[in-house]
Amino acid sequence: MAHITKATSVRDWFDQRIALTKLWNVLAGQYWIPKNINFLWAMGVVLTVLFTLLFISGLLLLMYYKPDANLAFDSVNYTIMKEVEYGWLWRHIHAVAASVIFLIIYIHAFVGIYYGSYKKGREMIWISGMLLFLIFSAEAFSGYMLPWGQMSYWAAQVITQLFGGIPFIGGALVEWIRGDYAVSDPTLTRFFMLHVCLLPIVIIMVIGVHFYTLRIPHVNNLEGEEIDFELEAEKYLKGDTVNSKVIPFWPGFLSKDFFYVSLFMIFFFYLVSFHFNFAMDPINFDPANAAKTPTHIYPEWYFLWQYEILRGFFFDIGPLKAADIGALAMAFAGISLFFMPLYDRSDVVAPAHKRKGFFIWFWLLIIDLIILTVYGKLPPTGFNAWIGFFSSVGFLALLLVVLPIITIKERKANK
Amino acid sequence: MKELKAFLIVVLVTGAIYWGVEPYAHSILHPHVEPANFDFAKEDTTLAKTNVEKAEAALKAAQTSGDKSIIDGATKTLENAKAELEKYSTFWADINSIDLSKGDAASGANLVAAAGCTACHSIKSAGFEPAMDDKSASEAYGVAPPDLSNIGYLYDGKFLAALIKDPAMALKVTHKFNDTNPFPMTAFYGAGGDLNQEIADLVAYFKSIAPKEMSDRDVFIESCARCHDMKYVNVFANGNKQSIANYLGMTPPDLSMYIRSRSELYLNNFINDTQKMLPGTSMPRVGLNEKAQKQVIEYMREAGDSKKEERETTGIYIMIYFAILSVFAWAWKRKIWSKLH
C-alpha cells in the first residue's frame, strides 16, 4: 500500500488515495493533441455530445414508453407527445439525434479516410470506430422498431427476413430472431431489450476502447505529419507553448470544441423545433398494420446506400439467385470499411489532395455513395434498377479493385 | 480560410444527400397533382381530363409492347376515362344550369317535409328530431344519415345542389354504387314542380337555417366523425362500427395522427377529391367549402400536433441560448489559444 501521510488539502487527500492528478493528466491535462487540426477533428466530441443527448433523452422516454404491441404506438404518440410535459422535446431530441449522429459518424469516418487516419499504427482506432458504427446501426434499427408504426413494422419484417438467406439454418434463425413466425409482440419486447440495455452497454464499452486506442498512436493531423509527441510535450511543459506542435486535450483542444459544439447545437435545435420530420418517415405515424403493406418500403436515410446494394443485384447470375447475391453484397458492404487498412497498400499518410490517385478515388466513392443513397429510396424499376446495379458494382470495385491498384502504384512510385 | 473551404464542402455534400433523399425522391414517389379546387365542376372535369391524358399515354406505351392483352386493357381504361369525362361534363353542365339566386327559402322549407327528406335526416335546429338513434340508423343505412342543420355552413350552394340532384355523382362513389347496389341516399326527383327550381329552393332553405359560425371540433364531427374516430381528442364515430365497416369495405382509420402521417397538403387535396389521391377508394369526396375544410385540418392538427406552438417558441429560446453560449465559447477559445499560437 502507498504511504499515506496527513493530507494538506482535499485534493491531496484524494491524490494520495486515487491519484486524481495523475488520472486528470492522463485523460485531459497531458493528453496531447496535434495543434495542426481543424473543425473536422471536433466531430468526435460532437458525437460524444450527441450520444449523451441520446442516452439522457432515451432514459426520460423510457419512463413512459410501453414495450407492448398494443400500447407502444399510443404511448409514444399520445402519452409522450401530448400528456407528458416537454415529452415532445425529449422525443424529438432522441429522434433527431439518432438521425444526425449518423451524419456526423459518416463525416467522422470519411475525414479519417481522406486524411489516411486508418493506417500506419492507427489501424485499431479505425477498427474500433467501425465496430462502433456497426453496433450503432443495430442500435438504430432496434430503436426504429419501438414506436411500432407502419414503417417500423415493415422494415423489421424485411430486415429480419434477410437472415432467411443464410443456408440451412436461415428459416430457423429468422424465427429465433423474431420470437414468432412473423414480427409481433415478442419481436418488439426483445428489440426493446436490445435497444435500451444490451446494445447501449456494448456501445459504451466500445467507446471506451475507441478512446483508449487513441493513446498510443495519437490523433492524426491536417498534414499527416509524424509528430514526436514526447518531445513536443516536453517543449510544451517547459513553457514553450508557441513552438510546441502539440496542445493538451484540456483546455487547448476542448476550448475549440466547445465553440464548435455550441454552434452545432443551434443547428441541432433548429432541426428539433422546426424540421424534426426530416428524420421521421410520415408513414411511421400510421400504427403498424400486419395486413397492409406500405406502397414503398425503405429504411432511414443513413441505411439507404446499403439497402440499394441489397436491391442492386436484381437478376440471377448462373446458379446464384438475385436475392442471395444482393444479401451477400449488402452483408459485405456493412463490414467492408473495416478492411480499409488492407485495401490501401501504400504507407503514405497524407491528406487526399496530396495523393492524386487517391484523391480521385475518394471523390468517386463519395459520389457513388450519394447515388446509392438517393436511388435506395426511389422505386427500383426500369432505369433506376440499372443505376442501382452499376453503382453497387461500382462500390465493390472501388474498394476491392481500384483502391489496391492505385495504392500499389503509389507505393512503387515512391520507391 | 482553409477551414471555411472544408466546411463548405461538408455542407455541399450533406446538402446534395438531403436534396436527393427528401425533395427529389418525394417528387418522384408522390407526383405533383393539381391543388385542391373548391370549384368542384372544374375540379372534376380537370381530373377526368388528366385521367384521359394518362390513359392515352398508357395506351401508347402499351402499343409499343405489342402484347395484345395489355393493349386491350389500356384501351378499356381509356374508354372508361373518356366515359367518366363525358359523365362529369354533362353532370356539372346540368348543375350549372340551376339558378341558385332564384331559390326561395320558404318554399324550400315546405319541400323538405313534402319531399320526405326528414324520413331519414333530422334537422334538429328546425325541430325535426331523428327517427332513430345513430346506432340503429347506421345499422339500417350503413352509416348514420347526417343532420341537415349545418350543411348550409359546410358546403357551398353549388355542391349542395349537386348533392341533392345526384348524391353518388357529387360524392364520387359511382364506381361502388349502381342500380344493383343503390347508394343509400336516393337522388331527388322533385315534388312535382320544376326540378331545378325546387333544388334551388332547398339550397336556399339550408343556407337560411345554417349557423354563421361553427367550432373546428363541430365541423370535424359533422364532416368526418360519422365514419372516422379520432381517439386522441375523444371523437368516436357515431354508429355501429361493424355496419360502417361493411358499408365502406374496411374499418375507416383513426385520424388522430393523420396530420403527420399524411401531411397538410395531402389532406387538403384528399378531402377535396378523394378519387384524385386514392383512385377507387370507397371514401366519398367530402366536398366541404374552403373555410370548413380549413377548420377540419386545423382540428386534425390540434389532435396530432398539439404542441406545435410550444415547440416553436421553446425552440427559439434554446437556439438563442446556444447562440449566446457560442459567443462566450469563442471568447474563451481566443483566451486559451492566445498562449498557443
Side-chain angles (χ1 to χ4, degrees):
Chain A
M1 203 177 84
H3 181 62
I4 304 285
T5 54
K6 187 167 166 46
T8 53
S9 66
V10 176
R11 188 196 174 117
D12 183 46
W13 192 90
F14 279 106
D15 254 351
Q16 291 194 44
R17 283 156 184 84
I18 53 172
L20 214 55
T21 309
K22 212 178 213 169
L23 181 72
W24 173 255
N25 282 341
V26 168
L27 290 182
Q30 288 177 23
Y31 166 39
W32 305 105
I33 305 280
K35 196 183 278 176
N36 183 20
I37 52 172
N38 64 9
F39 80 99
L40 291 167
W41 270 261
M43 294 304 138
V45 172
V46 172
L47 284 172
T48 316
V49 170
L50 280 173
F51 180 71
T52 311
L53 275 176
L54 278 169
F55 192 78
I56 295 171
S57 59
L59 288 182
L60 290 166
L61 293 172
L62 205 48
M63 294 178 192
Y64 297 95
Y65 173 75
K66 301 262 191 289
D68 178 315
N70 293 315
L71 305 173
F73 185 83
D74 288 339
S75 74
V76 173
N77 287 299
Y78 183 76
T79 314
I80 290 172
M81 287 303 289
K82 286 180 68 114
E83 294 208 314
V84 176
E85 289 279 338
Y86 292 101
W88 60 267
L89 182 61
W90 301 118
R91 194 244 179 132
H92 287 337
I93 286 179
H94 200 74
V96 171
S99 196
V100 170
I101 205 167
F102 274 92
L103 174 67
I104 308 292
I105 286 177
Y106 284 135
I107 296 175
H108 194 56
F110 282 97
V111 166
I113 294 180
Y114 188 91
Y115 289 96
S117 310
Y118 52 86
K119 56 182 177 178
K120 214 179 176 189
R122 297 200 175 88
E123 293 89 345
M124 282 313 295
I125 308 176
W126 178 259
I127 289 167
S128 59
M130 285 314 299
L131 192 61
L132 267 177
F133 171 71
L134 210 64
I135 309 167
F136 258 104
S137 302
E139 176 73 354
F141 173 57
S142 57
Y144 191 55
M145 271 274 285
L146 300 187
W148 208 239
Q150 258 298 65
M151 203 58 109
S152 303
Y153 181 88
W154 286 97
Q157 199 79 273
V158 170
I159 301 298
T160 51
Q161 190 57 51
L162 287 180
F163 292 93
I166 297 174
F168 306 115
I169 57 162
L173 188 64
V174 171
E175 234 171 79
W176 181 73
I177 292 169
R178 290 176 178 169
D180 199 347
Y181 300 111
V183 172
S184 61
D185 192 73
T187 324
L188 176 63
T189 44
R190 66 190 51 200
F191 275 51
F192 174 71
M193 184 286 289
L194 287 174
H195 185 72
V196 306
C197 180
L198 181 59
L199 292 176
I201 291 173
V202 176
I203 285 176
I204 290 167
M205 280 164 44
V206 181
I207 288 178
V209 173
H210 190 55
F211 285 176
Y212 173 67
T213 55
L214 290 161
R215 295 300 138 143
I216 310 296
H218 284 90
V219 178
N220 194 6
N221 55 68
L222 275 175
E223 301 299 327
E225 183 188 352
E226 223 178 290
I227 297 172
D228 186 335
F229 278 83
E230 276 175 33
L231 203 82
E232 298 298 327
E234 223 169 282
K235 247 192 237 174
Y236 185 94
L237 289 173
K238 275 188 185 145
D240 189 9
T241 52
V242 177
N243 287 321
S244 171
K245 284 181 178 169
V246 297
I247 51 169
F249 187 70
W250 172 277
F253 184 63
L254 270 186
S255 68
K256 237 179 165 178
D257 279 13
F258 248 59
F259 173 56
Y260 295 135
V261 169
S262 304
L263 287 180
F264 174 76
M265 281 292 124
I266 301 176
F267 167 69
F268 179 76
F269 279 100
Y270 161 74
L271 291 179
V272 166
S273 317
F274 298 97
H275 206 45
F276 59 86
N277 51 349
F278 96 94
M280 299 175 143
D281 195 288
I283 304 167
N284 221 24
F285 291 109
D286 279 340
N289 185 346
K292 197 177 151 203
T293 321
T295 331
H296 305 288
I297 300 179
Y298 43 76
E300 290 292 87
W301 72 268
Y302 41 83
F303 291 143
L304 286 171
W305 67 277
Q306 293 183 23
Y307 187 59
E308 185 61 9
I309 289 175
L310 169 72
R311 301 192 305 183
F313 299 89
F314 61 94
F315 46 81
D316 299 349
I317 300 175
L320 289 168
K321 288 251 173 1
D324 294 336
I325 307 172
L328 271 175
M330 186 182 94
F332 174 72
I335 56 164
S336 58
L337 292 177
F338 266 100
F339 309 114
M340 272 306 290
L342 281 180
Y343 310 138
D344 191 334
R345 311 303 305 160
S346 160
D347 288 342
V348 181
V349 177
H353 55 261
K354 291 190 177 159
R355 303 167 64 193
K356 205 171 154 240
F358 185 79
F359 183 75
I360 297 168
W361 174 86
F362 178 85
W363 286 108
L364 283 178
L365 181 69
I366 297 283
I367 292 167
D368 191 58
L369 285 171
I370 294 177
I371 294 172
L372 283 169
T373 300
V374 174
Y375 281 84
K377 190 161 182 179
L378 298 173
T381 45
F383 191 53
N384 288 1
W386 286 103
I387 292 182
F389 172 73
F390 284 116
S391 43
S392 301
V393 173
F395 176 80
L396 299 178
L398 277 173
L399 285 183
L400 294 173
V401 183
V402 181
L403 185 55
I405 290 177
I406 58 167
T407 46
I408 288 171
K409 262 191 175 172
E410 187 181 82
R411 190 179 63 199
K412 286 185 176 158
N414 280 348
K415 262 181 189 163
Chain B
M1 259 343 264
K2 259 193 167 164
E3 199 152 359
L4 193 68
K5 196 175 134 197
F7 180 68
L8 286 178
I9 291 171
V10 170
V11 170
L12 209 73
V13 171
T14 310
I17 296 170
Y18 175 77
W19 177 83
V21 172
E22 280 296 317
Y24 175 66
H26 193 266
S27 72
I28 303 279
L29 296 173
H30 307 276
H32 173 79
V33 293
E34 289 297 315
N37 187 344
F38 294 90
D39 178 346
F40 293 104
K42 205 161 174 198
E43 167 73 32
D44 291 357
T45 42
T46 311
L47 177 64
K49 268 180 206 153
T50 317
N51 285 343
V52 169
E53 280 162 22
K54 270 191 206 156
E56 274 166 352
L59 180 58
K60 253 186 206 154
Q63 273 160 349
T64 57
S65 83
D67 187 330
K68 193 172 175 313
S69 64
I70 296 178
I71 297 174
D72 286 350
T75 316
K76 189 129 201 328
T77 314
L78 179 60
E79 275 166 19
N80 287 342
K82 279 185 176 158
E84 283 281 292
L85 176 60
E86 176 63 27
K87 216 167 73 176
Y88 279 107
S89 309
T90 323
F91 174 66
W92 283 110
D94 181 30
I95 300 298
N96 280 334
S97 71
I98 300 175
D99 188 355
L100 292 171
S101 64
K102 295 221 175 91
D104 174 24
S107 55
N110 294 331
L111 267 171
V112 162
C117 303
T118 50
C120 305
H121 293 281
S122 58
I123 315 176
K124 284 179 188 153
S125 67
F128 295 103
E129 289 300 317
M132 47 183 146
D133 63 280
D134 287 334
K135 195 165 165 291
S136 326
S138 66
E139 281 156 9
Y141 302 109
V143 58
D147 183 274
L148 303 183
S149 311
N150 304 321
I151 59 168
Y153 177 91
L154 301 172
Y155 306 107
D156 74 6
K158 203 162 113 184
F159 184 75
L160 264 183
L163 191 58
I164 295 167
K165 189 143 193 178
D166 190 341
M169 276 297 280
L171 298 170
K172 299 190 108 168
V173 287
T174 49
H175 59 294
K176 271 199 70 196
F177 297 99
N178 45 42
D179 294 340
T180 50
N181 177 27
F183 190 60
M185 172 163 161
T186 48
F188 175 63
Y189 293 115
D194 173 13
L195 179 60
N196 282 357
Q197 180 57 45
E198 285 177 354
I199 289 174
D201 291 347
L202 282 171
V203 171
Y205 169 69
F206 290 125
K207 286 277 169 201
S208 74
I209 60 167
K212 291 278 164 289
E213 281 306 321
M214 282 176 76
S215 69
D216 295 350
R217 183 183 169 86
D218 285 341
V219 171
F220 179 85
I221 289 177
E222 298 267 319
S223 316
C224 313
R226 280 185 302 125
C227 300
H228 291 281
D229 291 348
M230 192 148 82
K231 63 181 178 181
Y232 288 2
V233 281
N234 281 318
V235 169
F236 297 97
N238 60 343
N240 181 324
K241 285 262 154 77
Q242 194 52 52
S243 307
I244 297 173
N246 291 344
Y247 170 71
L248 288 167
M250 66 176 280
T251 308
D254 185 285
L255 300 182
S256 298
M257 291 306 292
Y258 262 49
I259 194 76
R260 283 199 173 180
S261 68
R262 293 299 182 281
S263 90
E264 190 174 324
L265 181 72
Y266 181 93
L267 287 174
N268 207 29
N269 289 329
F270 184 67
I271 297 169
N272 186 255
D273 189 350
T274 46
Q275 295 305 323
K276 177 161 75 184
M277 306 308 290
L278 204 57
T281 181
S282 55
M283 173 164 156
R285 174 241 295 286
V286 187
L288 297 173
N289 60 38
E290 200 165 358
K291 183 183 175 195
Q293 183 156 317
K294 247 189 202 133
Q295 287 184 281
V296 163
I297 292 172
E298 192 45 50
Y299 194 60
M300 291 173 85
R301 189 204 310 288
E302 212 176 302
D305 194 13
S306 58
K307 298 293 172 78
K308 184 169 188 271
E309 262 175 48
E310 187 182 69
R311 187 174 70 235
E312 289 176 356
T313 44
T314 311
I316 290 283
Y317 286 132
I318 299 176
M319 285 162 73
I320 291 174
Y321 170 83
F322 279 108
I324 296 171
L325 191 65
S326 307
V327 175
F328 280 105
W330 178 75
W332 184 50
K333 186 238 145 191
R334 270 185 60 119
K335 186 183 155 227
I336 299 290
W337 276 73
S338 66
K339 291 182 209 110
L340 300 180
H341 277 306

